[in-house]
């Protein structure tokens, strides 16, 4: 294997390990934010979704010193998305009129 390729893979692995470690330190805070916004039932899924989104978009983070705030914002946006979805479902359900009962 080429040395440059091996070094590139090592750098990628190191970055992934650092991302995971920093995210894990943030997990309790993210869970608290998601619970406060969307409820305990969705918090674990929202934190997982925030992990996926942040890992996909890590290249967009301009200032590594702002990592914590950046990830919290991603989690908050995910939680707000759940609220919007719930509100939309509730509004559609409220618009439904029951069918007349024949009998």
């Amino acid at each position: 294997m080429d040395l440059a390729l091996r070094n590139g893979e090592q750098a990628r692995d190191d970055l992934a390990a650092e991302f995971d470690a920093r995210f894990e330190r943030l997990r309790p805070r993210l869970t608290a934010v998601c619970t406060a916004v969307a409820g305990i039932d969705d918090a674990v899924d929202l934190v997982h979704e925030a992990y996926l989104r942040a890992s996909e978009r890590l290249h967009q983070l301009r200032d590594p010193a702002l990592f914590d705030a950046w990830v919290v914002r991603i989690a908050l946006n995910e939680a707000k998305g759940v609220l919007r979805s719930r509100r939309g479902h509730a509004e559609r359900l409220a618009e439904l009129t029951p069918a007349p009962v024949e009998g």
Side-chain angles (χ1 to χ4, degrees):
M1 179 182 292
D2 183 79
L3 182 59
L5 179 59
R6 191 175 323 136
N7 288 341
E9 288 175 358
Q10 184 61 47
R12 187 178 62 241
D13 291 346
D14 291 347
L15 182 62
E18 182 180 350
F19 174 83
D20 288 346
R22 291 183 75 176
F23 192 92
E24 285 308 312
R25 283 193 301 272
L26 264 181
R27 187 176 292 277
R29 184 173 169 197
L30 298 172
T31 301
V33 166
C34 291
T35 299
V37 174
I40 191 73
D41 292 339
D42 291 314
V44 171
D45 290 338
L46 288 168
V47 171
H48 180 69
E49 196 61 37
Y51 174 87
L52 295 174
R53 296 248 188 262
S55 65
E56 290 169 355
R57 298 176 183 165
L58 187 57
H59 65 279
Q60 295 175 347
L61 177 62
R62 293 183 186 147
D63 185 353
L66 299 175
F67 178 83
D68 291 6
W70 180 72
V71 174
V72 169
R73 174 54 68 180
I74 290 171
L76 185 58
N77 288 341
E78 291 297 321
K80 287 180 177 179
V82 166
L83 290 181
R84 281 190 298 275
S85 177
R86 284 184 196 158
R87 191 171 27 249
H89 291 304
E91 289 171 1
R92 285 190 292 279
L93 284 173
E95 292 173 0
L96 295 176
T97 56
V101 178
E102 296 181 22

